[in-house]
Amino acid sequence: MSGDREFHDGRGDGLKPLKSLDLSSVNSFGELLQAMSATAFSGRRLGDAYDILLDMAQDSECKVVLTLSGAMTVAKQGSIICDMIDRGLVHAVVATGALIAHGLTESIGLVHYQYNPTDSDETLYKKGYNRIYDTLEMESNLNNVEKLVRSVLRESQPEDGVWSSARLCRALGQRLSEINDGRGILRSAYEQNVPVFIPAFTDSEIGLDVSTWAMSELIAKSGKPLEELEQEEILTALPSFNPFLDLQEYARLMRDAVTFGIFTIGGGVPRNWAQQVAPYYEIANYRLGTDWKEPRFRYGIRICPEPVHWGGLSGCTYSEGVSWGKFLSPQDGGRFAEVYSDATVVLPLLMKAVFEKLDSSS
């Protein structure tokens, strides 16, 4: 044994002791997550997420962006997201188009079903059943969503005639509020004046709906029978859609807050698109000569099973984001929690605890 080795007890160095999880002393979801914060591994991370999310929710000067990817609406988590919006915990949503499209089926009174593993995927295709892991989305559901999208495109044109994902989501939310067939992310977002952005818009059923609508408009305006039109001609049809409207709307939305928070489920394009607002401001200052405040995120919570070592976007850490100027460093007040878990397991626990605490404090 080395003679210069010291044997500290930890407390003297300011280390935080762990505590065994005593379920007999737990009487609420909030108490459970607080107790888990003194344990280890993903349990501690979820407890930390609870603590940070509460601070973020109770910070009246904080503007919060919720980013969503994965099959969260198919997995029946949509009502939780609606609750977050309805309670004012979210000021913008950035999502995949698929997630929003599958949520729309619920909003118009349709359902998803459990997958029977004895059915082959070939059989599912013939029946019009689209499999998402262990769940089925009816192709007929998506056809009904297309009818909704088409009616909104025809009847709710923007004043300048140009669509963006946020403009279309707002118009769809208004229609859902009017028909009142069920809860939904777009309906809640419209009713609470929360913009919803879909950055990778064409990578979605809704994107295909908009594109086929543009082709149907071209066919109608040509005055020719369909058989007289070449495929090449039909595939030149373009909707009046400008994604830069989304970028600038989001940039304007984020400019005025004192502090900023981001709550990410999964990763991918929604996460990065939402995070790049500070670099966007920074390079604008550099290239334009402006002096705009750069909206770096102070709070960050991420629920995603993607590990860091693959090197992909969905696994990159908040500390990595600090190097891009997207987040405040912990030394500058940044507070982050990254929970490496399936969101369908931990999101209900986390949000139930937060809702309980906020309700008891109101």
Side-chain angles (χ1 to χ4, degrees), residues 297-298 318-320 322 327-336:
F297 290 101
R298 177 180 297 275
Y318 288 126
S319 61
E320 181 178 314
V322 171
F327 299 92
L328 292 175
S329 69
Q331 292 76 17
D332 292 329
R335 299 187 62 205
F336 315 121

Side-chain angles (χ1 to χ4, degrees), residues 248 251 279-292 294:
Q248 299 296 54
Y280 183 42
Y281 272 59
E282 183 179 10
I283 63 176
N285 285 336
Y286 177 75
R287 296 170 186 174
L288 306 178
T290 51
D291 187 25
W292 297 339
E294 296 159 13

Side-chain angles (χ1 to χ4, degrees), residues 11-286:
R11 295 180 187 272
D13 291 329
L15 300 184
K16 182 178 179 180
L18 301 182
K19 300 178 182 178
S20 185
L21 185 59
D22 180 9
L23 293 179
S24 66
S25 65
V26 170
N27 298 300
S28 69
F29 285 91
E31 289 180 4
L32 175 62
L33 265 61
Q34 283 182 319
M36 288 168 66
S37 69
T39 61
F41 313 137
S42 292
R44 187 197 303 169
R45 291 176 181 268
L46 185 59
D48 290 343
Y50 170 69
D51 184 53
I52 294 171
L53 183 54
L54 267 182
D55 285 351
M56 190 164 69
Q58 294 171 333
D59 185 344
S60 61
E61 297 182 314
C62 183
K63 191 163 285 185
V64 179
V65 180
L66 175 66
T67 80
L68 301 166
S69 63
M72 294 296 288
T73 45
V74 166
K76 307 292 112 191
Q77 308 298 300
S79 289
I80 299 175
I81 298 165
C82 291
D83 287 337
M84 296 173 70
I85 297 171
D86 291 338
R87 287 170 171 266
L89 303 182
V90 174
H91 304 98
V93 175
V94 184
T96 63
L99 185 147
I100 295 299
H102 295 307
L104 278 172
T105 65
E106 286 185 310
S107 300
I108 56 177
L110 304 175
V111 297
H112 301 109
Y113 294 91
Q114 291 185 26
Y115 158 61
N116 183 348
T118 63
D119 289 338
S120 70
D121 289 300
E122 292 82 0
T123 298
L124 296 178
Y125 175 75
K126 290 178 181 178
K127 291 182 177 181
Y129 296 167
N130 302 306
R131 183 163 72 91
I132 305 168
Y133 183 44
D134 62 356
T135 303
L136 299 176
E137 173 74 273
M138 309 293 99
E139 186 66 25
S140 60
N141 286 358
L142 298 177
N143 288 335
N144 280 293
V145 167
E146 186 275 334
K147 293 176 183 177
L148 172 71
V149 173
R150 183 178 0 125
S151 69
V152 168
L153 289 168
R154 288 178 175 171
E155 300 166 15
S156 306
Q157 280 280 338
E159 289 186 7
D160 60 4
V162 182
W163 289 102
S164 67
S165 72
R167 288 179 172 185
L168 181 56
C169 286
R170 194 173 293 116
L172 288 167
Q174 181 176 0
R175 181 64 58 84
L176 294 173
S177 183
E178 292 166 353
I179 62 179
N180 193 27
D181 277 341
R183 299 188 78 190
I185 295 172
L186 295 189
R187 176 179 177 177
S188 288
Y190 166 74
E191 292 174 349
Q192 303 303 324
N193 196 29
V194 171
V196 177
F197 302 97
I198 304 175
F201 186 75
T202 57
D203 182 26
S204 70
E205 186 75 24
I206 300 178
L208 302 185
D209 293 343
V210 173
S211 189
T212 53
W213 168 75
M215 289 191 288
S216 71
E217 291 291 291
L218 181 146
I219 293 169
K221 291 176 181 178
S222 73
K224 301 177 183 179
L226 179 60
E227 57 271 15
E228 293 183 11
L229 294 172
E230 296 292 333
Q231 180 182 22
E232 179 73 16
E233 181 179 358
I234 296 174
L235 288 174
T236 62
L238 299 175
S240 182
F241 187 97
N242 189 342
F244 288 97
L245 289 169
D246 286 327
L247 179 62
Q248 299 296 54
E249 181 179 342
Y250 181 62
R252 293 193 302 272
L253 176 73
M254 298 299 287
R255 67 185 168 186
D256 298 326
V258 176
T259 56
F260 304 89
I262 186 168
F263 187 173
T264 288
I265 306 297
V269 172
R271 177 190 180 188
N272 190 67
W273 192 88
Q275 290 178 175
Q276 70 179 1
V277 63
Y280 183 42
Y281 272 59
E282 183 179 10
I283 63 176
N285 285 336
Y286 177 75

